Amino acid sequence: EVQLVESGGGLLQPGGSLGLSCATSGFTFSRYSMNWVRQAPGKGLEWVSYISTSSTTIYYADSVKGRCTISRDDAKNLLYLQLNSLRDEDTAVYYCARVFYGSASHFDYWGQGALVIVSA
Amino acid sequence: EIVMTQSPGTLSVSPGERATLSCRASQSVRNNIAWYQQKPGQAPRPLIYGASTRATDIPARFSGSGSGTEFTLTISSLQSEDFAVYYCQHYNNWPLTFGGGTKVEI
């Protein structure tokens, strides 16, 4: 069974840093591209970042570019997201999501999400 | 950036009725679009990809159509478990973007 489990959320201060992990199981992690998607309270979905297999290609949304680092550890089946210089508008549930096939496809599996609240 | 616009924002229907949800892209995304269902407190669930292919275990009452810039998700006969928010997403190029969602309510 494919499973994605995010961790690392919580209450954080503006200007601080966020570190999220996504533990995966039930599939060969190294063969899949991955994404982070976030959802502000009561709002829609916002794609945040993409990482290809072997970390050869990485993309970021403009809203986090320059503040964000996505990475992966294929040996540990883990996906990471680091977000610095946190703003109130970074408050959201952060989901990790697997790309169905290749680099450009839909997201076929999602984690349950990690809530991040940025507030003084 | 391609803007995905969903309409209506809210759709009020009765169980057993047909629901038609629309998604418009600001430029052509060919057939590189997916639809997701999200219920409160849950992660999105993929319904349709490639504009018209049902994802794994999705019932046949869900169907997708369209190409280019105009897309439709149809639920042929609404069941109680279908009341949720539905999002379209393109994956034609970067950045990927989602529509604002359509809430299907009783």
Side-chain angles (χ1 to χ4, degrees), chain B residues 29-101:
Chain B
V29 296
R30 298 181 291 176
N31 69 336
N32 296 318
I33 184 175
W35 290 91
Y36 300 89
Q37 177 194 69
Q38 188 179 35
K39 297 179 180 178
Q42 296 185 16
R45 170 195 183 197
L47 299 174
I48 300 287
Y49 64 94
S52 60
T53 302
R54 276 190 300 276
T56 303
D57 296 330
I58 299 304
R61 64 180 182 272
F62 291 92
S63 63
S65 63
S67 66
T69 61
E70 300 284 344
F71 301 91
T72 300
L73 174 70
T74 301
I75 312 171
S76 59
S77 176
L78 271 157
Q79 306 297 302
S80 57
E81 61 266 30
D82 300 336
F83 293 96
V85 180
Y86 292 82
Y87 295 95
C88 61
Q89 175 215 17
H90 88 83
Y91 47 88
N92 192 64
N93 52 21
W94 301 94
L96 309 182
T97 52
F98 292 87

Side-chain angles (χ1 to χ4, degrees), chain A residues 2-61:
Chain A
V2 172
Q3 287 195 321
L4 306 174
V5 180
E6 301 91 342
S7 60
L11 177 61
L12 300 167
Q13 298 248 338
S17 294
L18 161 68
L20 294 174
S21 299
C22 173
T24 72
S25 60
F27 66 103
T28 305
F29 178 67
S30 62
R31 294 182 181 175
Y32 288 85
S33 299
M34 300 292 294
N35 289 267
W36 288 96
V37 177
R38 68 184 181 183
Q39 186 170 37
K43 302 297 184 182
L45 301 168
E46 179 190 17
W47 169 78
V48 174
S49 184
Y50 161 88
I51 187 167
S52 68
T53 56
S54 304
S55 305
T56 50
T57 302
I58 287 173
Y59 297 115
Y60 299 106

Side-chain angles (χ1 to χ4, degrees), chain A residues 61-101:
Chain A
D62 285 346
S63 59
V64 299
K65 199 172 293 183
R67 304 188 292 130
C68 187
T69 302
I70 188 173
S71 60
R72 62 190 297 159
D73 185 332
D74 289 345
K76 296 182 179 179
N77 298 327
L78 287 170
L79 175 72
Y80 302 103
L81 186 74
Q82 176 86 16
L83 186 59
N84 302 319
S85 303
L86 288 171
R87 308 165 181 168
D88 291 350
E89 55 265 36
D90 294 320
T91 294
V93 174
Y94 285 73
Y95 297 100
C96 58
R98 189 182 86 165
V99 178
F100 173 65
Y101 177 79

